[in-house]
Short mmCIF file of all heavy atoms in Angstrom, two decimals:
data_model
loop_
_atom_site.label_atom_id
_atom_site.label_comp_id
_atom_site.label_asym_id
_atom_site.label_seq_id
_atom_site.Cartn_x
_atom_site.Cartn_y
_atom_site.Cartn_z
N MET A 195 78.14 87.69 106.07
CA MET A 195 78.55 88.94 105.48
C MET A 195 79.42 88.64 104.26
O MET A 195 80.43 87.95 104.35
CB MET A 195 79.34 89.77 106.49
CG MET A 195 79.96 91.00 105.86
SD MET A 195 81.15 91.83 106.93
CE MET A 195 80.08 92.89 107.83
N ALA A 196 79.04 89.16 103.13
CA ALA A 196 79.80 88.98 101.90
C ALA A 196 80.92 90.00 101.83
O ALA A 196 80.76 91.15 102.21
CB ALA A 196 78.89 89.13 100.69
N ARG A 197 82.07 89.57 101.36
CA ARG A 197 83.21 90.47 101.19
C ARG A 197 83.53 90.57 99.71
O ARG A 197 83.50 89.57 98.99
CB ARG A 197 84.42 89.96 101.95
CG ARG A 197 84.20 89.98 103.43
CD ARG A 197 85.40 89.43 104.15
NE ARG A 197 85.08 89.29 105.56
CZ ARG A 197 85.81 89.79 106.52
NH1 ARG A 197 86.90 90.44 106.26
NH2 ARG A 197 85.46 89.61 107.77
N ILE A 198 83.85 91.76 99.29
CA ILE A 198 84.18 92.00 97.89
C ILE A 198 85.66 92.34 97.79
O ILE A 198 86.16 93.20 98.51
CB ILE A 198 83.34 93.14 97.30
CG1 ILE A 198 81.86 92.75 97.36
CG2 ILE A 198 83.76 93.46 95.89
CD1 ILE A 198 80.93 93.86 96.97
N VAL A 199 86.35 91.66 96.91
CA VAL A 199 87.77 91.93 96.66
C VAL A 199 87.90 92.39 95.22
O VAL A 199 87.39 91.76 94.31
CB VAL A 199 88.62 90.66 96.89
CG1 VAL A 199 90.07 90.93 96.54
CG2 VAL A 199 88.48 90.19 98.32
N VAL A 200 88.57 93.52 95.06
CA VAL A 200 88.77 94.06 93.72
C VAL A 200 90.27 94.05 93.43
O VAL A 200 91.06 94.58 94.21
CB VAL A 200 88.23 95.51 93.60
CG1 VAL A 200 88.50 96.08 92.23
CG2 VAL A 200 86.75 95.53 93.93
N ALA A 201 90.64 93.45 92.32
CA ALA A 201 92.05 93.40 91.93
C ALA A 201 92.34 94.55 90.96
O ALA A 201 91.58 94.78 90.02
CB ALA A 201 92.37 92.07 91.26
N GLU A 202 93.41 95.27 91.22
CA GLU A 202 93.84 96.34 90.32
C GLU A 202 94.59 95.70 89.16
O GLU A 202 95.45 94.85 89.35
CB GLU A 202 94.74 97.32 91.06
CG GLU A 202 95.07 98.56 90.28
CD GLU A 202 93.89 99.47 90.05
OE1 GLU A 202 92.97 99.52 90.89
OE2 GLU A 202 93.89 100.16 89.02
N VAL A 203 94.25 96.10 87.95
CA VAL A 203 94.86 95.57 86.73
C VAL A 203 95.63 96.69 86.05
O VAL A 203 95.14 97.82 85.95
CB VAL A 203 93.78 95.01 85.77
CG1 VAL A 203 94.42 94.49 84.50
CG2 VAL A 203 92.98 93.93 86.46
N CYS A 204 96.83 96.38 85.59
CA CYS A 204 97.64 97.38 84.89
C CYS A 204 96.94 97.81 83.61
O CYS A 204 96.56 96.96 82.79
CB CYS A 204 99.02 96.81 84.56
SG CYS A 204 100.05 97.94 83.60
N PRO A 205 96.74 99.12 83.43
CA PRO A 205 96.06 99.59 82.22
C PRO A 205 96.91 99.44 80.95
O PRO A 205 96.37 99.47 79.85
CB PRO A 205 95.78 101.06 82.51
CG PRO A 205 96.72 101.45 83.60
CD PRO A 205 97.04 100.21 84.35
N ARG A 206 98.23 99.26 81.10
CA ARG A 206 99.09 99.12 79.92
C ARG A 206 99.20 97.67 79.45
O ARG A 206 98.96 97.37 78.28
CB ARG A 206 100.48 99.65 80.19
CG ARG A 206 101.41 99.52 78.96
CD ARG A 206 102.84 99.85 79.25
NE ARG A 206 103.01 101.27 79.51
CZ ARG A 206 104.08 101.79 80.12
NH1 ARG A 206 105.05 101.01 80.53
NH2 ARG A 206 104.17 103.09 80.32
N CYS A 207 99.56 96.77 80.38
CA CYS A 207 99.84 95.39 79.95
C CYS A 207 98.82 94.36 80.45
O CYS A 207 98.88 93.21 80.06
CB CYS A 207 101.25 94.99 80.38
SG CYS A 207 101.45 94.74 82.16
N GLY A 208 97.90 94.77 81.32
CA GLY A 208 96.88 93.86 81.81
C GLY A 208 97.33 92.94 82.93
O GLY A 208 96.61 92.04 83.33
N SER A 209 98.52 93.15 83.47
CA SER A 209 99.05 92.31 84.54
C SER A 209 98.29 92.54 85.85
O SER A 209 97.84 93.63 86.15
CB SER A 209 100.54 92.63 84.75
OG SER A 209 101.03 91.94 85.88
N LEU A 210 98.19 91.47 86.62
CA LEU A 210 97.61 91.56 87.96
C LEU A 210 98.69 91.72 89.03
O LEU A 210 98.38 91.83 90.21
CB LEU A 210 96.77 90.32 88.27
CG LEU A 210 95.48 90.19 87.47
CD1 LEU A 210 94.86 88.83 87.70
CD2 LEU A 210 94.51 91.29 87.85
N ASP A 211 99.96 91.73 88.63
CA ASP A 211 101.07 91.88 89.57
C ASP A 211 101.30 93.37 89.81
O ASP A 211 102.21 93.98 89.26
CB ASP A 211 102.33 91.22 89.00
CG ASP A 211 103.41 91.05 90.06
OD1 ASP A 211 103.15 91.41 91.23
OD2 ASP A 211 104.50 90.59 89.72
N VAL A 212 100.42 93.96 90.62
CA VAL A 212 100.40 95.40 90.88
C VAL A 212 100.64 95.64 92.36
O VAL A 212 100.08 94.95 93.20
CB VAL A 212 99.04 96.00 90.45
CG1 VAL A 212 98.92 97.45 90.84
CG2 VAL A 212 98.83 95.83 88.96
N ARG A 213 101.49 96.61 92.66
CA ARG A 213 101.72 97.00 94.05
C ARG A 213 101.02 98.33 94.30
O ARG A 213 100.77 99.09 93.38
CB ARG A 213 103.20 97.13 94.36
CG ARG A 213 103.88 98.21 93.57
CD ARG A 213 105.36 98.35 93.96
NE ARG A 213 106.07 99.14 92.99
CZ ARG A 213 106.00 100.46 92.88
NH1 ARG A 213 105.25 101.15 93.70
NH2 ARG A 213 106.68 101.11 91.97
N VAL A 214 100.70 98.59 95.54
CA VAL A 214 100.05 99.84 95.90
C VAL A 214 100.81 100.47 97.06
O VAL A 214 101.25 99.78 97.97
CB VAL A 214 98.56 99.65 96.24
CG1 VAL A 214 98.39 98.75 97.45
CG2 VAL A 214 97.85 100.96 96.44
N THR A 215 101.00 101.78 97.00
CA THR A 215 101.64 102.50 98.09
C THR A 215 100.80 103.73 98.43
O THR A 215 100.04 104.23 97.60
CB THR A 215 103.07 102.96 97.73
OG1 THR A 215 103.02 103.78 96.56
CG2 THR A 215 103.99 101.79 97.47
N GLU A 216 100.95 104.17 99.64
CA GLU A 216 100.28 105.39 100.10
C GLU A 216 101.37 106.41 100.39
O GLU A 216 101.98 106.40 101.45
CB GLU A 216 99.48 105.10 101.36
CG GLU A 216 98.79 106.30 101.92
CD GLU A 216 98.16 106.03 103.27
OE1 GLU A 216 98.06 104.88 103.70
OE2 GLU A 216 97.76 107.02 103.90
N PRO A 217 101.66 107.29 99.42
CA PRO A 217 102.72 108.28 99.64
C PRO A 217 102.37 109.22 100.80
O PRO A 217 101.22 109.58 101.00
CB PRO A 217 102.76 109.06 98.33
CG PRO A 217 102.04 108.21 97.34
CD PRO A 217 101.05 107.40 98.12
N ARG A 218 103.37 109.61 101.55
CA ARG A 218 103.19 110.52 102.68
C ARG A 218 104.14 111.68 102.54
O ARG A 218 105.25 111.53 102.02
CB ARG A 218 103.50 109.81 104.01
CG ARG A 218 102.53 108.74 104.36
CD ARG A 218 101.28 109.35 104.86
NE ARG A 218 100.37 108.32 105.32
CZ ARG A 218 99.23 108.59 105.90
NH1 ARG A 218 98.86 109.81 106.09
NH2 ARG A 218 98.44 107.62 106.27
N TRP A 219 103.74 112.84 103.05
CA TRP A 219 104.61 114.01 103.03
C TRP A 219 105.70 113.92 104.08
O TRP A 219 106.78 114.46 103.94
CB TRP A 219 103.80 115.28 103.27
CG TRP A 219 103.01 115.65 102.07
CD1 TRP A 219 101.68 115.40 101.85
CD2 TRP A 219 103.47 116.31 100.90
NE1 TRP A 219 101.31 115.87 100.63
CE2 TRP A 219 102.39 116.44 100.02
CE3 TRP A 219 104.72 116.79 100.51
CZ2 TRP A 219 102.51 117.04 98.78
CZ3 TRP A 219 104.82 117.39 99.27
CH2 TRP A 219 103.73 117.51 98.42
N PHE A 220 105.42 113.23 105.18
CA PHE A 220 106.41 113.10 106.24
C PHE A 220 106.22 111.75 106.92
O PHE A 220 105.17 111.13 106.82
CB PHE A 220 106.28 114.23 107.26
CG PHE A 220 104.91 114.36 107.85
CD1 PHE A 220 104.58 113.68 109.00
CD2 PHE A 220 103.94 115.16 107.25
CE1 PHE A 220 103.31 113.78 109.54
CE2 PHE A 220 102.67 115.26 107.79
CZ PHE A 220 102.36 114.57 108.94
N ARG A 221 107.25 111.31 107.60
CA ARG A 221 107.20 110.03 108.29
C ARG A 221 106.61 110.21 109.68
O ARG A 221 106.99 111.12 110.41
CB ARG A 221 108.62 109.48 108.41
CG ARG A 221 108.67 108.15 109.05
CD ARG A 221 110.09 107.62 109.03
NE ARG A 221 110.14 106.42 109.84
CZ ARG A 221 111.16 106.07 110.58
NH1 ARG A 221 112.23 106.82 110.60
NH2 ARG A 221 111.12 104.98 111.28
N ILE A 222 105.69 109.34 110.04
CA ILE A 222 105.08 109.37 111.37
C ILE A 222 105.62 108.18 112.15
O ILE A 222 105.56 107.05 111.69
CB ILE A 222 103.55 109.28 111.29
CG1 ILE A 222 103.00 110.48 110.52
CG2 ILE A 222 102.94 109.20 112.67
CD1 ILE A 222 101.52 110.40 110.25
N GLU A 223 106.15 108.45 113.32
CA GLU A 223 106.65 107.36 114.16
C GLU A 223 105.46 106.51 114.60
O GLU A 223 104.38 107.01 114.87
CB GLU A 223 107.37 107.93 115.38
CG GLU A 223 108.63 108.70 115.04
CD GLU A 223 109.70 107.83 114.37
OE1 GLU A 223 109.75 106.61 114.65
OE2 GLU A 223 110.46 108.37 113.56
N TRP A 224 105.67 105.21 114.67
CA TRP A 224 104.58 104.29 114.98
C TRP A 224 103.90 104.57 116.32
O TRP A 224 102.70 104.44 116.45
CB TRP A 224 105.08 102.84 114.95
CG TRP A 224 105.39 102.38 113.57
CD1 TRP A 224 106.62 102.11 113.06
CD2 TRP A 224 104.46 102.16 112.51
NE1 TRP A 224 106.53 101.74 111.75
CE2 TRP A 224 105.21 101.76 111.38
CE3 TRP A 224 103.09 102.26 112.38
CZ2 TRP A 224 104.60 101.45 110.17
CZ3 TRP A 224 102.50 101.96 111.16
CH2 TRP A 224 103.25 101.56 110.08
N ASP A 225 104.65 104.97 117.32
CA ASP A 225 104.04 105.19 118.62
C ASP A 225 103.17 106.45 118.66
O ASP A 225 102.34 106.61 119.53
CB ASP A 225 105.09 105.24 119.73
CG ASP A 225 106.14 106.32 119.52
OD1 ASP A 225 106.30 106.78 118.38
OD2 ASP A 225 106.81 106.69 120.49
N ARG A 226 103.32 107.36 117.69
CA ARG A 226 102.52 108.59 117.65
C ARG A 226 101.52 108.59 116.50
O ARG A 226 100.75 109.51 116.35
CB ARG A 226 103.44 109.80 117.49
CG ARG A 226 104.36 109.98 118.69
CD ARG A 226 105.12 111.28 118.63
NE ARG A 226 104.20 112.39 118.62
CZ ARG A 226 104.35 113.49 117.86
NH1 ARG A 226 105.39 113.63 117.09
NH2 ARG A 226 103.48 114.45 117.90
N ARG A 227 101.52 107.57 115.66
CA ARG A 227 100.68 107.58 114.47
C ARG A 227 99.19 107.72 114.79
O ARG A 227 98.48 108.44 114.11
CB ARG A 227 100.93 106.33 113.64
CG ARG A 227 100.21 106.38 112.31
CD ARG A 227 100.59 105.23 111.41
NE ARG A 227 99.85 105.36 110.17
CZ ARG A 227 100.39 105.39 108.99
NH1 ARG A 227 101.67 105.28 108.85
NH2 ARG A 227 99.64 105.52 107.92
N ASP A 228 98.71 107.03 115.82
CA ASP A 228 97.28 107.12 116.17
C ASP A 228 96.87 108.54 116.53
O ASP A 228 95.75 108.96 116.24
CB ASP A 228 96.95 106.18 117.32
CG ASP A 228 96.99 104.72 116.89
OD1 ASP A 228 96.89 104.44 115.68
OD2 ASP A 228 97.13 103.87 117.79
N ALA A 229 97.76 109.29 117.14
CA ALA A 229 97.43 110.65 117.55
C ALA A 229 97.46 111.63 116.36
O ALA A 229 96.77 112.64 116.36
CB ALA A 229 98.41 111.13 118.61
N LEU A 230 98.25 111.30 115.33
CA LEU A 230 98.41 112.23 114.21
C LEU A 230 97.65 111.84 112.96
O LEU A 230 97.35 112.67 112.12
CB LEU A 230 99.91 112.35 113.86
CG LEU A 230 100.80 112.90 114.96
CD1 LEU A 230 102.25 112.79 114.52
CD2 LEU A 230 100.44 114.33 115.26
N ASP A 231 97.36 110.56 112.80
CA ASP A 231 96.76 110.06 111.56
C ASP A 231 95.37 109.53 111.86
O ASP A 231 95.21 108.61 112.66
CB ASP A 231 97.66 108.96 111.00
CG ASP A 231 97.22 108.49 109.62
OD1 ASP A 231 96.28 109.08 109.07
OD2 ASP A 231 97.83 107.55 109.11
N ASP A 232 94.38 110.08 111.22
CA ASP A 232 93.00 109.65 111.46
C ASP A 232 92.59 108.47 110.59
O ASP A 232 91.44 108.07 110.57
CB ASP A 232 92.02 110.81 111.26
CG ASP A 232 92.02 111.35 109.84
OD1 ASP A 232 92.78 110.83 108.99
OD2 ASP A 232 91.26 112.30 109.58
N GLY A 233 93.54 107.90 109.82
CA GLY A 233 93.23 106.74 109.00
C GLY A 233 92.79 107.07 107.59
O GLY A 233 92.58 106.19 106.77
N TRP A 234 92.64 108.34 107.27
CA TRP A 234 92.22 108.75 105.94
C TRP A 234 93.37 108.63 104.96
O TRP A 234 94.49 109.03 105.24
CB TRP A 234 91.72 110.18 105.98
CG TRP A 234 91.24 110.66 104.64
CD1 TRP A 234 91.90 111.49 103.80
CD2 TRP A 234 90.02 110.34 104.00
NE1 TRP A 234 91.17 111.70 102.67
CE2 TRP A 234 90.01 111.01 102.76
CE3 TRP A 234 88.95 109.53 104.32
CZ2 TRP A 234 88.95 110.89 101.86
CZ3 TRP A 234 87.90 109.43 103.44
CH2 TRP A 234 87.91 110.10 102.23
N VAL A 235 93.12 108.05 103.81
CA VAL A 235 94.14 107.91 102.77
C VAL A 235 93.98 109.07 101.80
O VAL A 235 92.94 109.22 101.17
CB VAL A 235 93.99 106.57 102.03
CG1 VAL A 235 94.98 106.46 100.90
CG2 VAL A 235 94.13 105.42 103.00
N ASP A 236 95.02 109.91 101.68
CA ASP A 236 94.96 111.04 100.76
C ASP A 236 94.92 110.59 99.31
O ASP A 236 94.13 111.08 98.52
CB ASP A 236 96.17 111.96 100.95
CG ASP A 236 96.15 112.66 102.29
OD1 ASP A 236 95.05 112.93 102.80
OD2 ASP A 236 97.23 112.91 102.84
N ARG A 237 95.79 109.65 98.97
CA ARG A 237 95.79 109.10 97.62
C ARG A 237 96.58 107.81 97.63
O ARG A 237 97.38 107.56 98.52
CB ARG A 237 96.39 110.07 96.62
CG ARG A 237 97.86 110.32 96.77
CD ARG A 237 98.35 111.37 95.77
NE ARG A 237 99.74 111.67 95.99
CZ ARG A 237 100.74 111.12 95.32
NH1 ARG A 237 100.49 110.25 94.36
NH2 ARG A 237 101.98 111.42 95.57
N LEU A 238 96.32 106.97 96.65
CA LEU A 238 97.05 105.73 96.49
C LEU A 238 97.81 105.78 95.17
O LEU A 238 97.32 106.36 94.19
CB LEU A 238 96.11 104.53 96.48
CG LEU A 238 95.38 104.23 97.78
CD1 LEU A 238 94.42 103.07 97.57
CD2 LEU A 238 96.35 103.92 98.89
N GLU A 239 98.97 105.19 95.15
CA GLU A 239 99.78 105.14 93.94
C GLU A 239 99.97 103.67 93.58
O GLU A 239 100.37 102.88 94.42
CB GLU A 239 101.12 105.81 94.19
CG GLU A 239 102.00 105.91 92.98
CD GLU A 239 103.27 106.68 93.29
OE1 GLU A 239 103.25 107.92 93.18
OE2 GLU A 239 104.27 106.03 93.66
N PHE A 240 99.66 103.31 92.34
CA PHE A 240 99.78 101.94 91.87
C PHE A 240 100.99 101.82 90.96
O PHE A 240 101.34 102.76 90.26
CB PHE A 240 98.52 101.53 91.10
CG PHE A 240 97.27 101.59 91.92
CD1 PHE A 240 96.48 102.72 91.92
CD2 PHE A 240 96.89 100.51 92.70
CE1 PHE A 240 95.33 102.79 92.68
CE2 PHE A 240 95.74 100.57 93.46
CZ PHE A 240 94.95 101.71 93.45
N GLY A 241 101.62 100.65 90.98
CA GLY A 241 102.77 100.39 90.13
C GLY A 241 102.76 98.96 89.64
O GLY A 241 102.59 98.03 90.42
N CYS A 242 102.93 98.78 88.34
CA CYS A 242 102.97 97.44 87.75
C CYS A 242 104.38 96.88 87.89
O CYS A 242 105.36 97.53 87.53
CB CYS A 242 102.57 97.50 86.28
SG CYS A 242 102.63 95.88 85.48
N ARG A 243 104.48 95.67 88.39
CA ARG A 243 105.79 95.03 88.55
C ARG A 243 106.29 94.44 87.24
O ARG A 243 107.47 94.13 87.12
CB ARG A 243 105.72 93.96 89.63
CG ARG A 243 105.52 94.55 91.00
CD ARG A 243 105.56 93.48 92.06
NE ARG A 243 105.55 94.09 93.37
CZ ARG A 243 104.81 93.67 94.37
NH1 ARG A 243 104.02 92.64 94.23
NH2 ARG A 243 104.85 94.28 95.53
N ASP A 244 105.41 94.27 86.26
CA ASP A 244 105.83 93.69 84.98
C ASP A 244 106.35 94.75 84.01
O ASP A 244 107.40 94.57 83.41
CB ASP A 244 104.68 92.93 84.32
CG ASP A 244 104.37 91.63 85.06
OD1 ASP A 244 105.27 91.09 85.73
OD2 ASP A 244 103.23 91.16 84.96
N CYS A 245 105.63 95.88 83.86
CA CYS A 245 106.04 96.88 82.87
C CYS A 245 106.48 98.20 83.50
O CYS A 245 106.81 99.15 82.79
CB CYS A 245 104.94 97.12 81.85
SG CYS A 245 103.51 98.02 82.50
N ASP A 246 106.47 98.31 84.84
CA ASP A 246 106.93 99.49 85.59
C ASP A 246 106.08 100.74 85.40
O ASP A 246 106.52 101.84 85.73
CB ASP A 246 108.39 99.82 85.26
CG ASP A 246 109.33 98.71 85.71
OD1 ASP A 246 109.05 98.10 86.75
OD2 ASP A 246 110.34 98.48 85.02
N LEU A 247 104.86 100.62 84.90
CA LEU A 247 103.95 101.77 84.78
C LEU A 247 103.50 102.21 86.17
O LEU A 247 103.20 101.38 87.03
CB LEU A 247 102.74 101.42 83.94
CG LEU A 247 101.69 102.51 83.75
CD1 LEU A 247 102.25 103.63 82.88
CD2 LEU A 247 100.42 101.96 83.15
N LEU A 248 103.46 103.51 86.43
CA LEU A 248 102.93 104.07 87.68
C LEU A 248 101.68 104.87 87.36
O LEU A 248 101.64 105.59 86.37
CB LEU A 248 103.97 104.99 88.33
CG LEU A 248 105.25 104.33 88.81
CD1 LEU A 248 106.22 105.39 89.31
CD2 LEU A 248 104.97 103.33 89.92
N TRP A 249 100.66 104.77 88.20
CA TRP A 249 99.43 105.54 88.03
C TRP A 249 98.75 105.74 89.36
O TRP A 249 99.05 105.10 90.34
CB TRP A 249 98.50 104.89 87.00
CG TRP A 249 97.85 103.61 87.45
CD1 TRP A 249 96.60 103.48 87.99
CD2 TRP A 249 98.39 102.29 87.38
NE1 TRP A 249 96.35 102.16 88.26
CE2 TRP A 249 97.42 101.42 87.89
CE3 TRP A 249 99.60 101.75 86.94
CZ2 TRP A 249 97.63 100.04 87.97
CZ3 TRP A 249 99.80 100.39 87.02
CH2 TRP A 249 98.82 99.56 87.54
N GLU A 250 97.81 106.68 89.39
CA GLU A 250 97.04 106.97 90.61
C GLU A 250 95.60 106.58 90.42
O GLU A 250 95.07 106.54 89.37
CB GLU A 250 97.10 108.46 90.95
CG GLU A 250 98.45 108.87 91.41
CD GLU A 250 98.49 110.34 91.81
OE1 GLU A 250 97.42 110.94 92.02
OE2 GLU A 250 99.58 110.86 91.91
#
């Protein structure tokens, strides 16, 4: 089975040092997360560690 890895690149400076977060409206306790969260990601937010640009 082949696996594909895609690296997010900063659109401003071209850096590969990018972090990704999944913003949430509320905090879910770990012991209840399976019951409340179906695993769907509403949106991802990217941030460049070199130039501090944020994008979705």
Side-chain angles (χ1 to χ4, degrees):
M195 172 191 273
R197 294 178 188 232
I198 298 173
V199 176
V200 178
E202 188 68 31
V203 179
C204 176
R206 180 188 291 162
C207 71
S209 173
L210 291 171
D211 194 3
V212 174
R213 64 177 166 76
V214 62
T215 57
E216 178 188 349
R218 292 284 185 175
W219 286 99
F220 55 91
R221 182 175 171 215
I222 299 174
E223 295 297 331
W224 289 111
D225 59 340
R226 296 188 61 220
R227 187 173 180 125
D228 289 339
L230 298 173
D231 187 5
D232 62 0
W234 181 256
V235 176
D236 293 328
R237 68 183 176 97
L238 293 176
E239 185 176 273
F240 299 94
C242 179
R243 291 185 172 135
D244 289 335
C245 71
D246 296 325
L247 178 69
L248 295 174
W249 71 96
E250 290 183 16

